[in-house]
């Protein structure tokens, strides 16, 4: 008998995730608030449902792949939880916030539903090839029970149990903070080096092999040098995530001067460009302020 999977959120990441589960022979029912996503779901062999409750009905595993905390809270209602099969598991792959997810997790637990958070690292292309990275928070035994399912969409070596409830969301947020912070700091250094007369390609290659080297420099600078601001994620969502990090730091009384500056820079970029796609639009803002482009 096929394992029944429900998926809420059929966007850039949810669609290829659903496709891989269908290809593995699972029965996959999906829903998205955007009715226009129906054809994409059907094209990949998934069963379209007109409501979140219908997608969750009798599912052994419910997967949410949504943009942020507000969407997850709106989707995972008491009615949706009640529709799941007895002893089901909810796996949230969204870029969620620990504080926002806690009440939902408690309501699920009260119904005997297991909960894993598994926010995603990677791109839609990684989702298509099943090579995502997952930052898992929750019970290790529950992860072991669903590891085979998660390995259909993620690299088995990159499914990391990082701690208990809330830890997965936190780790993903911290990774985002550091990546966006590195992008901004690297851009400032490159703009200064360029203005001082250093060849950008030489500077990039030198930095990549130095103590200041990073995956951003080694992997992502080539896209920026080609004029690609990585239009795979919206700027307003980036700012929202950075704001959650700064808020968590303030609440937990840890220093967050740099986190706040990174958040502020992305707020400025959001005010300048609007809620458009572009993970490196804060860098575009720095370029605009410098009156120069980083092009290799």
């Amino acid at each position: 008998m096929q394992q029944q999977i429900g998926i809420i959120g059929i966007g850039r990441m949810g669609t290829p995730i659903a496709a891989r589960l269908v290809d593995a022979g699972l029965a996959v029912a999906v829903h998205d608030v955007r009715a226009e996503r129906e054809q994409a779901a059907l094209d990949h062999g998934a069963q379209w449902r007109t409501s979140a409750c219908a997608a969750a009905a009798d599912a052994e595993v419910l997967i949410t792949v949504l943009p942020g905390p507000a969407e997850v809270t709106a989707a995972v209602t008491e009615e949706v939880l009640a529709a799941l099969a007895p002893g089901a598991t909810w796996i949230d792959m969204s870029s969620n916030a620990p504080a926002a997810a806690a009440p939902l997790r408690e309501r699920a637990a009260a119904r005997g539903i297991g909960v894993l958070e598994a926010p995603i690292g990677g791109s839609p292309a990684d989702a298509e090839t099943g090579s995502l990275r997952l930052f898992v928070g929750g019970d290790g035994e529950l992860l072991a029970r669903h590891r085979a399912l998660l390995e259909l969409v993620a690299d088995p070596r990159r499914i990391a149990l990082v701690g208990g409830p809330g830890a997965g969301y936190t780790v993903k947020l911290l990774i985002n903070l550091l990546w966006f912070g590195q992008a901004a700091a690297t851009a400032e250094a490159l703009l200064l080096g360029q203005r001082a007369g250093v060849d950008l390609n030489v500077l990039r290659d030198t930095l990549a092999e130095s103590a200041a080297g990073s995956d951003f420099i080694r992997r992502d600078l080539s896209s920026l040098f080609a004029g690609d601001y990585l239009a795979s994620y919206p700027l307003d969502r980036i700012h929202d995530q950075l704001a959650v990090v700064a808020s968590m730091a303030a609440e937990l009384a840890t220093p967050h001067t740099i986190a706040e500056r990174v958040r502020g820079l992305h707020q400025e970029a959001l005010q300048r460009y609007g809620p458009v796609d572009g993970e490196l639009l804060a860098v575009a803002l720095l370029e605009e302020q410098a009156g120069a482009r980083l092009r290799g």
Side-chain angles (χ1 to χ4, degrees), residues 59-269:
E60 298 163 71
V61 177
L62 174 67
I63 298 173
T64 44
V65 195
L66 294 162
E71 289 80 6
V72 177
T73 299
V76 184
T77 62
E78 289 284 3
E79 292 76 16
V80 166
L81 294 173
L84 293 170
T89 299
W90 168 37
I91 302 176
D92 185 22
M93 294 186 174
S94 312
S95 294
N96 209 337
L104 305 179
R105 183 173 59 248
E106 292 169 5
R107 291 206 293 267
R111 291 184 174 274
I113 297 167
V115 179
L116 288 173
E117 60 200 57
I120 292 168
S123 66
D126 294 323
E128 290 175 4
T129 58
S131 55
L132 293 172
R133 183 187 294 268
L134 299 178
F135 309 102
V136 183
D139 180 71
E141 291 184 5
L142 190 60
L143 171 59
R145 192 167 112 206
H146 294 290
R147 178 170 280 275
L149 173 67
L150 295 176
E151 287 180 356
L152 295 174
V153 301
D155 184 334
R157 300 164 298 175
R158 294 184 170 186
I159 301 174
L161 180 63
V162 298
Y169 297 133
T170 299
V171 168
K172 175 63 189 300
L173 288 167
L174 294 177
I175 289 168
N176 286 355
L177 168 66
L178 290 172
W179 190 88
F180 290 112
Q182 288 169 6
T186 300
E188 287 192 354
L190 292 172
L191 286 165
L192 175 57
Q194 182 182 52
R195 184 67 55 82
V198 181
D199 180 88
L200 277 179
N201 289 304
V202 171
L203 183 54
R204 175 192 57 190
D205 295 344
T206 303
L207 291 174
E209 298 301 322
S210 74
S214 68
D215 277 353
F216 176 79
I217 293 173
R218 288 184 288 268
R219 184 188 61 203
D220 300 312
L221 266 187
S222 294
S223 296
L224 178 62
F225 280 11
D228 179 3
Y229 293 99
L230 302 181
S232 57
Y233 201 70
L235 184 55
D236 55 335
R237 297 294 183 179
I238 294 167
H239 175 263
D240 288 348
Q241 292 175 18
L242 294 171
V244 170
V245 176
S247 177
M248 286 177 63
E251 183 178 334
L252 297 173
T254 61
H256 53 284
T257 302
I258 295 172
E260 182 56 35
R261 181 65 191 106
V262 175
R263 184 209 63 77
L265 176 63
H266 285 78
Q267 182 179 40
E268 292 175 37

